Amino acid sequence: MDWRDVTVYVNGDEYTKTIPVQMTLAEFLRDELFLTGTKIGCNEGECGACTVILDGVAVNSCLVLAVHADGKNVLTIEGVSEGELHPLQQAFLDAGAVQCGFCTPGMIMTAKALLDRDPAPSREVIRKEIEGNLCRCTGYNRIIDAVEKAALMLQKR
Amino acid sequence: MDYIVKTRPAKIDPLFPEINIDPGDVFDFPDDSVELPAIIGKSLPRKDGQEKVTGRTKFGADHNIPGQLYAAVLHSTEAHAVIRKIDTSEAKKIKGVRAVLTGEDCKVRFGHMLVDQPVLAQEKVRYWGEPVAAVAADTLHLAKLAVRKIKVDYEPLPVVETVEDALRADTLVHENWSDYQLLGGCAPVPGTNIVDEFVLVHGDVEKGFREADVVVENELFCSMIQHAPLETHAAIAIADHDNCHIISPAQSPFMIRKIIANAFGYRLDRVRVTCTDIGGAFGCKVEARLEPLCVALARRTKRPVKLVFERHEEFAAALARAGVKFRIKTGATKEGKLTAQQIYIYWDTGAYATFGPRVNYNAGFASNGPYYIPNSFVDGFCLVSNKSLGTAYRGFGITEVAFAHETQMDALANKLGIDPLEFRLKNALRNGQESVAGEVMQDVGISECLEKAAEAVGWYDGPLQWRTAEGKLRGKGIACFIKLTGTPSTTSVMLRMNEDGTVTLLSGSREMGQGVETVLPQLASSVLGIDVERIIMSPVDTAFTPYDKTTTSSRSTFHGGLAVMDAARDMVRQLKALMARHWDCPVEEITYDKGVIRCLFDPEASVDINTSFFTRYLKEEPPIIAVGRYGTKDIFSPPDPDTHQSDRPTIMWMMGAQAAEVEVDPDTGRTKIIRIGAAHDVGRAINPDNCRQQIQGAVLMGVGNALLEEMIYVNGVLVNANMVDYKIPTSMDADFETMVDLVECPHNTGPYGVKGIGEPGMAPTAPAIANAISRACGHQFKSIPVKAEHVLFRE
Ligand code: FES
Ligand code: FES
């Protein structure tokens, strides 16, 4: 097995680790850094539960090798809020967009990456954007409501 | 088939007048003159929400134990075969591999009705994906590597793939039922693939069919589908020969405890199940799945063992909803009065019994729908086959039987030229009528549900079938259902007042997204008058949580709620006694109102338990701990085994209706949902928004069932065992509105009149959509899902 040293900036903290080259970013976050907020629903890029933001872009962390994140910035659900909830998190609660909660971290990360680049997306854009994030509980429309609400909250800031 | 209704009814004219029961006889509670506590009917945000949006919630795979080993499983590549030889020598040679187990090393079987399922295949495999060997190693990577080194030599056997194969019984999935310990709830038939049969006889169907002017007969089919929760199965076990500790997202921890104790020969109290949060279950986490494998490996290695299913393993070897075939015949008079219904049901429940017989039982009772039918005959067979294991799935067979009876209702209405809604309303059950189970029904709200659901999609606003200007086919359909909750059943809870006056609620009801962690505190607060913010549910652990039978059957708010209110009343008694001691007055002179305790004759003696001032009275006092219980054994009237007639087969019936408007593209065959109206009798909505969330989410699950989902087996091999080939609905499939109506026809026993809503939201969705598609296309579809290819290639 090949090992490699990597330095990854996760939620603003620097981590240097020696890891096997085939380790995915999802495994790195969960098993090496104990950041279990990033979920694994399929481990093959089909469900979006593992979505994190890598240098500003939402990615399925189960499809990215950890060595690929060397020297890069990663934002996970644990880094979205400091102290008080991020408007997206608040909006998910207010809109009733959470049931079992397993898809929620990935949904919020996908939505955050969207709002970071498009602060006022239409419902159609939101719907399309979260297409790759599966949810078995909510029926999605409340999630779309939540993202719309959060966009308004962020615009008012 | 011509589905166009030519004359639209001006108004509904029920054939059966409402039979009035003296309310004094039936409704002792709730009394409508009593004002509801303000906390009841309040849409509080979910208590577990904050943890979930911040990523702090710990699901099964998020837990780790120091010193744990990682497990991986070798799954059968054959559907039905004798295992000639398993060679594990190469796997065992890998450094860091601590155990390699096969059926030879672990001869344990488990089950909760029938102890038929081996932890690892014994001598033969019975389905594609069945665990054949398991490895525990220092890392997951090593465990998976070792699994790939195991070689198995199979001798294939004929595959039992359909209910016809199973009935023919040329090949037996299980050679000898009597080899297995029978715990109850089913009666396998020797020499067959029948694991249980359910027969319901009410009136005389032959006579009923003679009285009918029209009779329709159909053969109908529902595919096998997956629960597909976003969280796959996961478990950790720490075990030796005396004690066993399991950590898993169990839906019914006390049931898992019993299964494990029975399988491995532990005394019940030596098995502990610690529950993690659940990332969706829908029935699939009610069964013991990874727990037995982890226990076997942990006993062997003397180390904690963790196992998490990959998604493809979840498809291959977790659980499913059984496929089912119906042969159904229904008769009605020309006025539209149902006279008889005869239903043969064949469940393709897969390789082992699991909860299959219970599905057959619950669905058998529900299979006639919420209708008054004087003559009925139901014969349900639970059949084993060489497929994944069919078990509980959001409703225990309710969607499937609703698809059958609702297809029939449309077919009859169509033949008679009666509007399908009107036809249903003519026959809908009413208070005081006898159900097909022989029970005199009470608190029935189905007519209102039908009307409201229909109204939501503009049922009377225009035709039920038309072609749009773009040439698309539009249709509306409606469907309803009836469902029982498992009875008899029992639960208990505990309320502990902490030193600071907050209250911890211990209950085995598992939060899995349905909101029980919010609703039970609301019910406690309604009696105690303690701010609901100050009541929190404890994690669930069989080591300290009081017994609860299971979190299934839409029972938790009803059963758990009654137990919580019982405990809360006990807590009020204790609080009154506490203050009587402090104020030195007789307890009879103490009053308790919304958390304010007073002494009648001393204006100074008054305290609000929500204040920090109150906590001084708790100091060095015997702690306030209250226990509440609820069980339905005494109201249950055991159904006659030959006819399943019973005065009271269940404590609670749930009913509801949904209507769908769909648009079918005649060129692509694709169906688009335009809108859904969902009206469910929830008895009383404790948290209305939570009820709506349950229904809206369930409706989309139903859309998947109606249009997309099916486990496709080819020669016993599941060929779509991943989330690309097995599609669950995405946000793009959800682009329609679900209008929810919460009908409140209070139950006479449930807390404030509550009935269940966790499962019902999905029950009528697929049948309503199927009826709408059939109407849009002018063609009766006889199976679900109705996919584009079925629409395009209809005869
Ligand atoms: S876990 Fe990465 S996409 Fe499903
Ligand atoms: S809330 Fe359960 S999967 Fe989305």
Side-chain angles (χ1 to χ4, degrees):
Chain A
M1 203 188 291
D2 276 350
W3 295 72
R4 202 69 63 80
D5 289 343
V6 295
T7 300
V8 187
Y9 303 88
V10 181
N11 303 330
D13 293 331
E14 180 182 320
Y15 296 92
T16 301
K17 296 261 172 191
T18 308
I19 55 161
V21 289
Q22 79 273 20
M23 178 177 269
T24 66
L25 180 56
E27 288 163 350
F28 179 75
L29 294 168
R30 291 175 53 82
D31 302 340
E32 294 291 319
L33 309 188
F34 305 103
L35 295 171
T36 54
T38 300
K39 305 299 175 199
I40 294 181
C42 69
N43 225 1
E44 45 199 26
E46 294 160 4
C47 77
C50 62
T51 307
V52 301
I53 300 181
L54 180 65
D55 276 353
V57 180
V59 296
N60 288 332
S61 62
C62 71
L63 290 187
V64 176
L65 290 177
V67 290
H68 184 73
D70 191 14
K72 295 192 176 143
N73 281 302
V74 178
L75 186 71
T76 73
I77 188 70
E78 289 91 346
V80 166
S81 57
E82 293 135 24
E84 118 192 19
L85 293 181
H86 184 276
L88 266 167
Q89 293 171 314
Q90 190 59 50
F92 266 65
L93 292 183
D94 296 346
V98 179
Q99 287 189 27
C100 82
F102 197 85
C103 70
T104 309
M107 284 285 184
I108 290 178
M109 298 320 288
T110 299
K112 175 145 195 331
L114 170 67
L115 296 187
D116 285 349
R117 75 171 192 268
D118 178 359
S122 67
R123 271 188 94 75
E124 285 60 49
V125 168
I126 301 169
R127 189 179 293 287
K128 186 79 196 135
E129 190 71 16
I130 64 165
E131 187 186 5
N133 289 76
L134 298 179
C135 172
R136 193 58 154 167
C137 304
T138 64
Y140 300 103
N141 289 324
R142 284 170 182 264
I143 294 174
I144 296 169
D145 295 345
V147 180
E148 267 192 324
K149 270 188 195 175
L152 285 176
M153 279 153 82
L154 283 163
Q155 282 161 34
K156 281 200 198 117
R157 276 197 173 175
Chain B
M1 205 181 251
D2 179 15
Y3 265 86
I4 301 172
V5 177
K6 299 198 181 67
T7 47
R8 310 304 315 285
K11 90 183 220 310
I12 308 307
D13 173 27
L15 289 181
F16 300 98
E18 181 113 12
I19 300 168
N20 288 319
I21 301 181
D22 174 6
D25 282 356
V26 182
F27 299 95
D28 31 34
F29 185 82
D31 180 349
D32 266 354
S33 60
V34 177
E35 205 187 312
L36 289 175
I39 192 75
I40 299 304
K42 216 170 163 186
S43 296
L44 297 181
R46 53 186 320 128
K47 276 174 166 284
D48 49 339
Q50 187 104 357
E51 295 286 297
K52 287 177 173 174
V53 297
T54 50
R56 292 197 299 254
T57 301
K58 294 246 183 290
F59 298 98
D62 300 337
H63 289 260
N64 291 293
I65 298 285
Q68 77 191 10
L69 297 173
Y70 297 81
V73 177
L74 178 74
H75 300 276
S76 170
T77 52
E78 293 288 328
H80 196 197
V82 172
I83 301 173
R84 275 209 210 98
K85 187 172 179 302
I86 306 182
D87 180 0
T88 57
S89 55
E90 291 299 311
K92 283 179 175 157
K93 276 187 205 149
I94 298 173
K95 265 211 192 104
V97 168
R98 304 296 164 190
V100 181
L101 292 185
T102 68
E104 277 292 296
D105 312 300
C106 171
K107 297 217 180 293
V108 176
R109 286 181 192 273
F110 64 100
H112 108 111
M113 292 180 163
L114 185 68
V115 186
D116 58 345
Q117 197 176 162
V119 176
L120 291 162
Q122 308 275 320
E123 287 148 37
K124 75 172 195 173
V125 291
R126 294 187 173 84
Y127 67 99
W128 181 85
E130 179 162 12
V132 172
V135 175
D138 291 352
T139 68
L140 185 56
H141 178 75
L142 287 173
K144 287 184 176 170
L145 192 70
V147 158
R148 284 198 293 272
K149 302 271 183 206
I150 301 171
K151 290 185 203 75
V152 189
D153 184 11
Y154 295 106
E155 180 186 321
L157 297 168
V159 177
V160 178
E161 202 170 25
T162 60
V163 294
E164 287 78 10
D165 294 345
L167 283 169
R168 225 179 294 117
D170 299 341
T171 304
L172 293 179
V173 178
H174 297 268
E175 289 71 21
N176 218 337
W177 290 117
S178 61
D179 289 349
Y180 307 137
Q181 184 192 7
L182 180 60
L183 297 176
C186 67
V189 182
T192 73
N193 287 312
I194 301 168
V195 67
D196 198 34
E197 188 181 354
F198 170 97
V199 178
L200 181 143
V201 184
H202 183 72
D204 176 352
V205 269
E206 290 313 322
K207 177 173 140 280
F209 285 126
R210 282 196 300 276
E211 288 163 10
D213 297 308
V214 288
V215 173
V216 292
E217 270 189 273
N218 271 309
E219 204 170 275
L220 304 166
F221 182 73
C222 303
S223 290
M224 183 176 252
I225 62 175
Q226 272 259 316
H227 305 78
L230 262 277
E231 180 203 31
T232 60
H233 283 75
I236 298 175
I238 305 157
D240 54 32
H241 288 273
D242 301 318
N243 294 290
C244 176
H245 183 191
I246 289 163
I247 301 162
S248 78
Q251 200 179 326
S252 299
F254 289 92
M255 204 166 270
I256 303 282
R257 180 175 75 158
K258 195 160 138 198
I259 291 171
I260 294 292
N262 183 57
F264 289 91
Y266 290 112
R267 213 175 75 183
L268 194 65
D269 59 324
R270 297 296 183 94
V271 179
R272 173 180 177 193
V273 181
T274 299
C275 295
T276 73
D277 280 290
I278 302 179
F282 314 109
C284 75
K285 288 169 186 161
V286 75
E287 301 278 356
R289 190 77 300 239
L290 304 193
E291 291 89 347
L293 282 163
C294 286
V295 171
L297 287 166
R299 280 161 69 108
R300 173 58 64 99
T301 58
K302 313 266 186 301
R303 297 263 297 270
V305 174
K306 177 175 177 176
L307 175 56
V308 181
F309 259 178
E310 296 270 348
R311 179 58 63 182
H312 63 90
E313 295 180 285
E314 187 78 11
F315 274 101
L319 296 143
R321 188 180 91 183
V324 58
K325 184 165 230 167
F326 298 95
R327 272 175 35 221
I328 183 165
K329 178 175 167 187
T330 316
T333 63
K334 54 183 178 308
E335 294 80 25
K337 179 181 160 189
L338 289 169
T339 59
Q341 186 154 259
Q342 172 182 297
I343 315 168
Y344 289 92
I345 311 176
Y346 307 96
W347 299 97
D348 179 4
T349 207
Y352 297 99
T354 63
F355 259 109
R358 187 72 206 186
V359 171
N360 190 26
Y361 176 95
N362 285 15
F365 271 107
S367 57
N368 283 282
Y371 299 111
Y372 175 72
I373 306 179
N375 307 291
S376 165
F377 176 79
V378 180
D379 198 353
F381 296 88
C382 185
L383 300 161
V384 284
S385 66
N386 296 119
K387 283 195 196 154
S388 181
L389 315 181
T391 186
Y393 188 118
R394 205 169 199 169
F396 284 78
I398 301 308
T399 295
E400 302 92 300
V401 293
F403 172 65
H405 60 69
E406 292 306 276
T407 301
Q408 292 296 95
M409 294 307 128
D410 265 27
L412 279 171
N414 178 55
K415 257 199 165 168
L416 291 164
I418 302 176
D419 178 274
L421 170 62
E422 187 200 3
F423 183 78
R424 285 172 172 81
L425 285 169
K426 276 174 188 287
N427 292 289
L429 269 173
R430 287 168 180 21
N431 280 336
Q433 283 179 343
E434 203 177 81
S435 75
V436 290
E439 175 187 6
V440 178
M441 298 298 281
Q442 317 165 14
D443 320 331
V444 181
I446 187 59
S447 298
E448 195 179 341
C449 292
L450 279 163
E451 282 165 0
K452 290 252 167 80
E455 214 171 279
V457 299
W459 192 265
Y460 288 125
D461 298 348
L464 296 178
Q465 179 213 40
W466 71 103
R467 194 180 272 269
T468 66
E470 296 80 37
K472 306 271 167 59
L473 308 172
R474 288 272 179 121
K476 288 178 186 173
I478 191 160
C480 56
F481 75 97
I482 185 168
K483 173 185 160 47
L484 58 69
T485 191
T487 309
S489 167
T490 168
T491 192
S492 54
V493 305
M494 217 184 266
L495 288 171
R496 286 185 351 211
M497 183 165 276
N498 300 307
E499 301 92 294
D500 63 353
T502 57
V503 170
T504 303
L505 163 51
L506 289 96
S507 157
S509 292
R510 299 286 289 118
E511 175 64 59
M512 26 192 203
Q514 85 282 42
V516 73
E517 274 191 28
T518 309
V519 168
L520 290 185
Q522 276 183 267
L523 288 166
S525 167
S526 77
V527 175
L528 289 172
I530 295 180
D531 182 359
V532 70
E533 285 299 309
R534 292 164 64 80
I535 306 174
I536 187 161
M537 250 169 98
S538 151
V540 178
D541 190 321
T542 59
F544 53 76
T545 305
Y547 179 80
D548 174 64
K549 187 173 178 184
T550 148
T551 304
T552 56
S553 228
S554 304
R555 71 189 277 280
S556 295
T557 309
F558 189 103
H559 295 72
L562 287 171
V564 162
M565 289 170 75
D566 184 40
R569 282 189 288 268
D570 181 21
M571 184 167 260
V572 168
R573 278 192 291 276
Q574 294 181 40
L575 288 165
K576 282 169 138 183
L578 172 81
M579 293 319 293
R581 285 202 300 280
H582 276 293
W583 290 329
D584 198 16
C585 71
V587 78
E588 299 74 42
E589 291 174 13
I590 303 280
T591 64
Y592 191 102
D593 181 33
K594 302 191 180 78
V596 178
I597 311 176
R598 283 200 182 86
C599 174
L600 277 180
F601 304 110
D602 180 356
E604 301 285 287
S606 164
V607 67
D608 183 342
I609 60 167
N610 288 297
T611 59
S612 58
F613 183 82
F614 168 72
T615 56
R616 71 187 55 201
Y617 296 112
L618 295 171
K619 247 195 176 144
E620 303 307 335
E621 286 286 343
I624 307 279
I625 299 183
V627 176
R629 303 170 184 83
Y630 181 67
T632 49
K633 193 161 178 227
D634 49 343
I635 69 98
F636 177 62
S637 138
D640 178 281
D642 298 326
T643 63
H644 283 91
Q645 297 297 290
S646 157
D647 296 338
R648 198 82 197 265
T650 178
I651 179 68
M652 180 222 335
W653 290 103
M654 291 161 260
M655 295 177 217
Q658 291 180 11
E661 179 179 340
V662 304
E663 179 174 289
V664 180
D665 186 328
D667 298 327
T668 64
R670 260 198 64 134
T671 296
K672 184 174 159 31
I673 311 289
I674 304 297
R675 53 182 166 164
I676 302 253
H680 289 260
D681 176 11
V682 296
R684 177 81 65 200
I686 304 297
N687 185 322
D689 198 51
N690 202 358
C691 294
R692 281 190 283 271
Q693 287 178 34
Q694 278 304 293
I695 295 168
Q696 288 164 344
V699 161
L700 194 67
M701 207 171 187
V703 168
N705 186 189
L707 303 178
L708 305 169
E709 297 180 38
E710 105 185 91
M711 291 167 75
I712 303 170
Y713 279 90
V714 177
N715 299 327
V717 176
L718 180 65
V719 295
N720 59 340
N722 62 70
M723 284 182 136
V724 169
D725 297 316
Y726 181 100
K727 294 223 183 299
I728 68 168
T730 72
S731 57
M732 301 309 281
D733 300 303
D735 194 6
F736 62 88
E737 201 185 339
T738 300
M739 285 145 296
V740 176
D741 239 300
L742 301 177
V743 173
E744 293 188 326
C745 177
H747 188 281
N748 65 22
T749 315
Y752 304 103
V754 155
K755 296 172 185 170
I757 195 59
E759 301 163 307
M762 182 182 174
T765 313
I769 292 171
N771 280 342
I773 300 175
S774 290
R775 199 159 284 117
C777 298
H779 170 89
Q780 189 185 51
F781 291 96
K782 298 198 175 182
S783 66
I784 48 172
V786 186
K787 294 183 164 181
E789 54 265 39
H790 303 137
V791 170
L792 282 179
F793 303 116
R794 63 188 192 268
E795 333 71 66

